[in-house]
Amino acid sequence: MYAEMLRIHPDEPEPDRIQYVVSCIRSGKVVGMPTDTFYGLAVDPVNLRAVESIYELKSRQKHKPLSLLIANPGQAYELAREVDNHFDRLAERFWPGPLTVIVKAGSRLPLRSTANTGNVALRVPDAEIPRAVVEALGLPITATSANLQNAAECTYASCVRDQLGERIPLIVDGGPTPRSLPTTIVDLSAGGGQWQILREGAIPTYAIALALQQ
């Protein structure tokens, strides 16, 4: 069975179509959808069977946690614990945007959803479709890139269909994504004001350092 392609307006997502996507996610399905960087694979992070299916789809190593998309910075405080002013500064400066921040996970998330690390990677995407889905679902969604292991990331829905069309039931076509660079990943999980850049992407290292020095 081949994936259903669902067109959704990237700037003004149609509410009925968003609700359809939400119903698919609630039922445990994997949905491909655009973010502000690449297309990603969205599932309910507290549905462990759905989370497991993403690892199987991508042949992803089980110790690598999945990043989560949230609708606004306020949701981060519900999902994380022991956040400090470094987190506040980064969220205020770069969200919504292509920044992923790793912090200690709160008790709302199952340990398996953190790949048993106890940490969670969060971001608020600068993209209307995933934020609308998160708001309608009432939960964050996973955001790992919608591509096969060692294959190129996708900036078009057709690319997701070519790579994963026989493996997932639904792909949201929101047009091309606005960026072709991945998110920058900053790890704040050590606490105590320590920070580390795990991957430099769309936001350069100097911009992160500048924000944290203010």
Side-chain angles (χ1 to χ4, degrees):
M1 189 172 177
Y2 223 61
E4 174 188 0
M5 301 289 286
L6 178 67
R7 177 73 183 176
I8 296 182
H9 196 286
D11 300 320
E12 298 178 0
E14 298 86 348
D16 58 328
R17 300 191 178 194
I18 292 296
Q19 286 297 335
Y20 177 68
V21 173
V22 167
S23 69
C24 290
I25 292 173
R26 281 197 177 122
S27 67
K29 294 177 180 176
V30 180
V31 179
M33 73 173 66
T35 73
D36 53 344
T37 53
F38 302 118
Y39 272 72
L41 294 176
V43 301
D44 173 353
V46 299
N47 183 330
L48 297 185
R49 183 173 293 181
V51 170
E52 198 67 30
S53 67
I54 284 191
Y55 283 94
E56 293 169 359
L57 271 171
K58 295 194 60 171
S59 301
R60 186 180 176 89
Q61 294 173 319
K62 296 297 178 69
H63 69 276
K64 296 178 67 176
L66 302 172
S67 60
L68 301 181
L69 298 182
I70 54 180
N72 56 71
Q75 281 188 302
Y77 298 95
E78 301 171 9
L79 298 167
R81 59 185 174 90
E82 299 176 24
V83 294
D84 57 21
N85 61 358
H86 275 16
F87 177 85
D88 299 334
R89 289 173 185 170
L90 292 178
E92 183 178 348
R93 173 67 180 84
F94 298 110
W95 280 354
L99 175 69
T100 299
V101 183
I102 299 175
V103 291
K104 291 187 183 301
S107 58
R108 285 189 63 186
L109 288 173
L111 193 59
R112 183 68 194 91
S113 292
T114 73
N116 299 313
T117 63
N119 297 330
V120 61
L122 301 171
R123 79 178 177 105
V124 179
D126 188 14
E128 296 293 338
I129 292 174
R131 293 211 309 268
V133 169
V134 169
E135 288 180 356
L137 181 65
L139 290 168
I141 54 176
T142 60
T144 187
S145 57
N147 59 295
L148 294 172
Q149 191 78 5
N150 300 321
E153 292 95 346
C154 293
T155 56
Y156 288 87
S158 58
C159 171
V160 182
R161 181 189 61 206
D162 293 343
Q163 291 193 39
L164 297 168
E166 295 180 341
R167 302 186 182 205
I168 62 177
L170 177 65
I171 299 170
V172 172
D173 183 355
T177 59
R179 296 183 181 87
S180 56
L181 286 173
T183 64
T184 294
I185 302 176
V186 180
D187 188 352
L188 300 179
S189 63
Q194 299 181 66
W195 61 279
Q196 180 182 6
I197 291 188
L198 301 186
R199 179 180 71 195
E200 184 177 47
I203 299 172
T205 298
Y206 73 82
I208 300 293
L210 190 61
L212 292 177
Q213 288 169 3
Q214 292 175 347

